[in-house]
């Protein structure tokens, strides 16, 4: 306790010079004493940690005077500073490390490399599903690199799948349902950026839902959450906690509804994950156009998948869905009246708010 008090006192006295370069440091701390579960450091590797901190592009190298000071400390004390504590900052990928000689340094945790191309014309934080892309415009085949030496993966929640990617009573179930208990942790499947973090009142049947766009353009959906702990625009790492399981929205009990989509089109998540073993099926996914049908699922041969994708139950979503292309002067009220439905129903079908501004040329599902 005495060591903590001495360290904090030193930091308070040095706040003046620190604020000139970094802003008000203590106002930016989320939790001064969140420590050992964030960055693990060992005394044997203290110098390696110090060196690593100065390898980052946004860190200034030690000046000649600082180098001499470090050498003098080592010569007189016979030991190098040992890190004993970490402090969170506003940036979850940057920590402050406290040393036993009452000094501190920034330490940057690996931040996912996110390409600028993710934020393209189809980026919308108020709409659950990507709109404006027709199935006919999607390539017959696309190769998606799922993991590499930089980007990893994580099963969103370990547990048995109790409802698969299929038609249920002539309605398409465009994901898998994973059993869980309310409050169970839900993790990001891959590195990416949160596109949508939407509460139940706006999302329709999804309940509290998160949509993450990943570095390869793939999107993953996490539905029926009791709570989410991220927001639109947040960068997340594979395996990062993003929310907690629940039974919000159109749900008969606690479970995670998990979807995988590319360019707005859903395909069987079991083509990516083996949920029983909690592993990735392959580092690369060859995604074919005939996969975008709830009759096409993992385990079929290519010929079986093609044949199945041509079948759709009468009255199913793929056979009865109807869309309206927004024209000048259109409003949700006018569109609802034209098609004999309600604004609330249109919002549920399209995953949008009643205050949504429509764009000319945008496709709105009306049935």
């Amino acid at each position: 306790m005495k060591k903590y008090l001495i360290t904090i006192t030193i930091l308070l006295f040095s706040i003046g010079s620190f604020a000139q370069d970094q802003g008000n440091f203590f106002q930016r701390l989320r939790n001064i004493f969140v420590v050992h579960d964030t960055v693990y450091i060992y005394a044997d590797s203290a110098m390696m940690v110090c060196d690593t901190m100065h390898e980052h592009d946004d860190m200034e190298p030690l000046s000649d005077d600082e180098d001499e000071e470090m050498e003098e400390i080592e010569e007189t004390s016979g030991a190098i500073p040992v890190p004993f504590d970490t402090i969170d900052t506003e940036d979850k990928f940057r920590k402050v490390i406290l040393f036993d000689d009452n000094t501190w340094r920034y330490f940057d945790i690996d931040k996912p490399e996110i390409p600028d191309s993710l934020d393209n014309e189809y980026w919308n934080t108020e709409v659950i599903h990507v709109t404006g892309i027709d199935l006919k415009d999607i390539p017959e085949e696309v190769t998606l690199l799922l993991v590499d030496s930089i980007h990893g993966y994580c099963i969103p929640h370990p547990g048995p799948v109790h409802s698969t990617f299929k038609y249920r009573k002539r309605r398409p179930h465009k994901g898998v349902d994973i059993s869980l208990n309310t409050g169970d942790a839900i993790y990001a499947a891959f590195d990416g950026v949160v596109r949508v973090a939407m509460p139940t009142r706006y999302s329709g049947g999804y309940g509290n839902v998160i949509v993450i766009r990943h570095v390869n353009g793939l999107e993953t959906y996490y539905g029926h959450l009791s709570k989410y702990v991220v927001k639109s625009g947040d960068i997340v790492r594979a395996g990062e906690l993003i929310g907690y399981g629940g039974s919000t929205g159109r749900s008969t009990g606690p479970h995670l509804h998990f979807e995988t989509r590319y360019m707005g089109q859903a395909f069987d998540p079991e083509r990516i994950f083996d949920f029983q073993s909690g592993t990735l099926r392959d580092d690369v996914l060859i995604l074919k156009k005939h996969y975008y049908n709830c009759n096409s699922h993992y385990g079929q041969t290519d010929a079986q998948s093609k044949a199945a994708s041509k079948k759709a139950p009468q009255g199913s979503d793929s056979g009865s869905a109807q869309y309206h292309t927004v024209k000048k002067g259109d409003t949700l009220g006018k569109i609802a009246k034209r098609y004999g439905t309600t604004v609330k129903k249109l919002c549920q079908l399209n995953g949008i708010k009643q205050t949504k501004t429509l764009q000319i040329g945008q496709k709105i599902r009306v049935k």
Side-chain angles (χ1 to χ4, degrees):
M1 178 61 70
K2 183 177 180 181
K3 185 181 292 185
Y4 279 103
L5 292 175
I6 293 173
T7 301
I8 292 174
T9 302
I10 296 295
L11 286 173
L12 286 171
F13 276 110
S14 63
I15 190 172
S17 59
F18 176 82
Q20 294 179 4
D21 297 325
Q22 306 296 339
N24 194 326
F25 174 71
F26 289 99
Q27 288 183 0
R28 298 190 300 110
L29 296 183
R30 289 199 302 249
N31 186 343
I32 292 178
F33 295 107
V34 174
V35 184
H36 303 293
D37 59 346
T38 54
V39 179
Y40 294 90
I41 306 168
Y42 301 93
D44 292 343
S45 59
M47 181 56 76
M48 180 189 70
V49 172
C50 293
D51 292 341
T52 302
M53 286 186 288
H54 288 283
E55 289 175 0
H56 295 283
D57 293 337
D58 58 347
M59 299 293 294
E60 293 184 3
L62 292 174
S63 66
D64 292 339
D65 290 340
E66 288 174 324
D67 275 331
E68 291 177 5
E69 184 179 350
M70 287 295 292
E71 290 175 3
E72 184 178 345
I73 290 174
E74 292 176 26
E75 289 174 1
T76 56
S77 66
I80 60 174
V82 177
F84 71 89
D85 215 341
T86 62
I87 303 175
D88 283 348
T89 70
E90 281 187 352
D91 184 349
K92 63 185 176 184
F93 296 105
R94 169 170 280 198
K95 307 293 180 181
V96 171
I97 299 180
L98 304 179
F99 293 86
D100 64 352
D101 65 347
N102 299 321
T103 62
W104 60 269
R105 292 286 190 277
Y106 275 129
F107 181 72
D108 290 341
I109 302 172
D110 289 341
K111 188 173 184 177
E113 295 183 5
I114 306 297
D116 294 337
S117 58
L118 289 190
D119 188 0
N120 59 27
E121 58 185 310
Y122 301 114
W123 181 270
N124 192 323
T125 62
E126 296 182 351
V127 176
I128 294 178
H129 304 305
V130 172
T131 58
I133 304 176
D134 289 330
L135 183 59
K136 62 180 177 61
D137 297 328
I138 296 178
E140 289 293 332
E141 183 176 300
V142 62
T143 300
L144 298 182
L145 178 63
L146 299 176
V147 298
D148 55 24
S149 60
I150 299 175
H151 303 291
Y153 79 94
C154 179
I155 293 290
H157 178 76
V161 172
H162 70 259
S163 185
T164 59
F165 183 82
K166 62 181 179 180
Y167 282 102
R168 297 191 306 195
K169 298 180 180 179
R170 296 187 177 183
R171 292 176 60 90
H173 182 240
K174 297 185 176 181
V176 296
D177 291 343
I178 304 171
S179 299
L180 51 67
N181 296 314
T182 297
D184 283 352
I186 305 299
Y187 305 101
F190 303 100
D191 297 347
V193 182
V194 177
R195 182 171 65 82
V196 172
M198 188 177 290
T200 301
R201 64 181 178 274
Y202 298 128
S203 70
Y206 281 98
N208 293 326
V209 63
I210 294 170
V211 179
I212 300 176
R213 183 170 295 180
H214 303 289
V215 295
N216 53 12
L218 179 74
E219 288 196 334
T220 51
Y221 288 45
Y222 311 77
H224 306 313
L225 304 178
S226 60
K227 179 184 179 180
Y228 49 78
V229 296
V230 293
K231 63 183 182 301
S232 297
D234 281 356
I235 295 176
V236 293
R237 289 194 65 85
E240 181 176 334
L241 176 70
I242 57 174
Y244 299 93
S247 186
T248 56
R250 190 164 56 245
S251 170
T252 57
H255 68 278
L256 172 67
H257 176 78
F258 179 69
E259 293 185 14
T260 49
R261 292 184 179 239
Y262 185 73
M263 297 183 74
Q265 302 296 323
F267 62 93
D268 187 0
E270 292 193 87
R271 293 188 182 278
I272 292 181
F273 290 113
D274 181 343
F275 291 95
Q276 290 296 325
S277 65
T279 58
L280 199 68
R281 296 201 186 275
D282 203 340
D283 293 353
V284 176
L285 173 67
I286 307 299
L287 188 55
K288 301 183 179 182
K289 196 169 185 176
H290 54 82
Y291 290 175
Y292 306 128
N293 183 287
C294 279
N295 285 322
S296 173
H297 55 79
Y298 176 76
Q300 295 170 327
T301 65
D302 202 53
Q304 289 172 334
S305 175
K306 285 182 179 179
S309 68
K310 296 177 182 178
K311 301 176 183 179
Q314 187 176 1
S316 68
D317 178 66
S318 60
S320 62
Q322 186 176 353
Y323 293 84
H324 171 82
T325 301
V326 176
K327 300 178 179 60
K328 185 176 181 180
D330 276 347
T331 64
L332 286 173
K334 288 182 179 180
I335 296 172
K337 185 176 181 180
R338 177 176 176 178
Y339 291 95
T341 185
T342 64
V343 171
K344 183 177 180 180
K345 182 64 175 178
L346 291 178
C347 291
Q348 290 177 342
L349 285 173
N350 294 275
I352 59 177
K353 301 177 183 178
Q354 294 187 17
T355 56
K356 168 68 177 173
T357 301
L358 302 180
Q359 303 295 325
I360 294 176
Q362 178 181 348
K363 291 185 181 297
I364 296 291
R365 184 177 173 184
V366 296
K367 184 178 178 181

